[in-house]
Amino acid sequence: MTASDLRRRLHETMGSQRKDFARYVLYRSVFAPAGRHLPMSVARALAWGFAGLLVALDARRGTGWRPFRAVLGCSAPRAVAAFWAQQAALLEEHAFQSAVLARRLTPDAYEFCIAATPEARQVLDGQGPLVVVSGHFIRDPAIYAAFAAQVGGRNSALITATPPESASTPQEQRIQRQLGLSLEALAPWSEPLDFQLIYLGNAATQAVRALRDEKRMLWVNIDAPWQAGRGRTVSVPFAGHATRHFSTGSARIARSVGCPLLLILPGVVRKTEVVVHVLGPYSSSATDPSERDADVTRQVLRAIEDHIGTNPRRYSLDLGQERRWNKSARHWDVI
């Protein structure tokens, strides 16, 4: 590694730390109180304003807006605007979750429109257990909708990473605050139904028990990057990435229990009107069980990456910069 590479990495790390610290301070000092005390329309306006600070902190290196330029194939100003919208949505997300935790917002405040396939609607209307997967989209009412009694209709469980117990770096502080609040808010949002957290570690055993014995809805974010060799995985191109590794655990759990697997994708949120897309159930004709799990996982990931392509501003993980969304053909092309 050359001295130039070291300087570049140092600058990128310092820039990332500044952005993480700024987001942590904004979450704690501005948007948590805004969610507890202000109308969401005011919190939304604040989010658009303060997002400019995060964009300014990114201006020199462009690590935030350059992926938008790559995946959208657009000009720098348009990419900056997309990055600005994403950062504003993340700040507004925190205010929404704070309002839910303070019980200022409940599912009754929203009108949910469930755009489901006939087969998915039949599963939702039933009483049996089901696995629901999605991607790391902005956690607004369209993602929270599935946990609402009038939508999911079941006690629910979520497989998640454990928020850091102690935070010594700006990134850990930001993750602790961001992930912690998003998980805390799900319990009051799910009332009067029961909500359970299942932490990674012995998640598969607990998940099977929650499905088989308690007939719950199990939620899994299936698009989390996974380390190759850590359990059964599938490697596929994904969004702007040439290749990424993903766990096939969600499909394996659904197959083990014999329950359907649905995909939920967030739609448009207009004030109190929320659209939620439900696809599936997913299946495979492969004879080998492991290949069936891999095939189902690939099908779901293709649907998620297509949804990312239509609105990358609502996606909260790294977009990548090696593939571009072809809007007219509606697929991803290698750059």
Side-chain angles (χ1 to χ4, degrees):
M1 182 180 294
T2 65
S4 176
D5 290 334
L6 284 172
R7 285 196 297 270
R8 176 178 55 80
R9 289 197 176 187
L10 178 62
H11 282 305
E12 288 177 353
T13 300
M14 291 176 65
S16 177
Q17 288 179 350
R18 285 195 296 269
K19 284 186 289 184
D20 278 324
F21 181 71
R23 282 176 62 183
Y24 168 74
V25 171
L26 289 173
Y27 285 156
R28 181 173 180 175
S29 303
V30 179
F31 290 94
R36 291 194 299 266
H37 304 294
L38 298 177
M40 282 304 299
S41 58
V42 176
R44 186 173 303 113
L46 288 172
W48 275 96
F50 279 105
L53 171 63
L54 302 175
V55 173
L57 289 173
D58 183 73
R60 183 178 178 184
R61 288 291 170 184
T63 54
W65 62 264
R66 289 187 190 278
F68 286 98
R69 188 175 189 181
V71 302
L72 293 174
C74 63
S75 65
R78 185 182 168 199
V80 170
F83 177 57
W84 193 315
Q86 180 203 49
Q87 297 305 299
L90 285 166
L91 295 175
E92 184 184 342
E93 164 195 86
H94 204 74
F96 162 73
Q97 292 165 359
S98 294
V100 171
L101 191 59
R103 289 176 165 76
R104 294 185 64 241
L105 284 179
T106 67
D108 292 337
Y110 296 91
E111 180 182 347
F112 297 108
C113 175
I114 310 301
T117 62
E119 297 83 2
R121 168 58 67 184
Q122 186 176 4
V123 172
L124 285 174
D125 290 344
Q127 297 299 314
L130 71 148
V131 174
V132 168
V133 297
S134 192
H136 283 79
F137 297 100
I138 301 296
R139 293 168 180 171
D140 61 11
I143 283 291
Y144 269 49
F147 297 92
Q150 61 265 49
V151 177
R154 297 165 174 79
N155 294 333
S156 57
L158 169 72
I159 294 181
T160 181
T162 306
E165 292 185 7
S166 60
S168 57
T169 67
Q171 183 185 48
E172 289 174 345
Q173 289 177 318
R174 191 262 301 168
I175 293 174
Q176 185 184 57
R177 181 82 196 182
Q178 186 178 10
L179 179 58
L181 181 63
S182 70
L183 298 178
E184 283 184 73
L186 281 168
W189 180 267
S190 302
E191 293 176 349
L193 298 174
D194 182 62
F195 171 72
Q196 174 188 356
L197 288 173
I198 298 175
Y199 293 108
L200 292 174
N202 192 28
T205 301
Q206 295 181 61
V208 168
R209 186 184 306 119
L211 290 165
R212 185 172 288 158
D213 300 341
E214 304 173 23
K215 311 300 181 187
R216 290 180 182 263
M217 176 193 80
L218 176 72
W219 179 285
V220 187
N221 285 320
I222 199 172
D223 63 331
W226 210 253
Q227 182 179 350
R230 183 186 165 195
R232 292 175 180 171
T233 60
V234 61
S235 299
V236 294
F238 182 75
H241 299 276
T243 184
R244 275 210 155 177
H245 306 289
F246 300 96
S247 170
T248 61
S250 303
R252 186 171 68 253
I253 289 170
R255 174 177 56 79
S256 298
V257 177
C259 70
L261 185 147
L262 301 180
L263 169 63
I264 286 188
L265 297 170
V268 178
V269 179
R270 291 192 180 93
K271 295 183 178 179
T272 60
E273 296 180 1
V274 180
V275 177
V276 183
H277 302 279
V278 187
L279 308 179
Y282 288 85
S283 60
S284 170
S285 58
T287 55
D288 180 71
S290 296
E291 182 52 37
R292 284 205 301 273
D293 299 338
D295 188 24
V296 166
T297 303
R298 283 190 288 263
Q299 293 177 54
V300 171
L301 291 170
R302 279 195 294 270
I304 291 176
E305 69 169 355
D306 287 352
H307 197 69
I308 294 170
T310 61
N311 194 355
R313 303 161 187 81
R314 307 297 294 178
Y315 193 63
S316 60
L317 296 187
D318 178 26
L319 288 168
Q321 301 184 57
E322 299 162 308
R323 301 166 80 220
R324 178 169 297 156
W325 175 247
N326 186 323
K327 185 177 179 180
S328 58
R330 294 187 62 81
H331 66 72
W332 291 85
D333 297 328
V334 177
I335 297 176

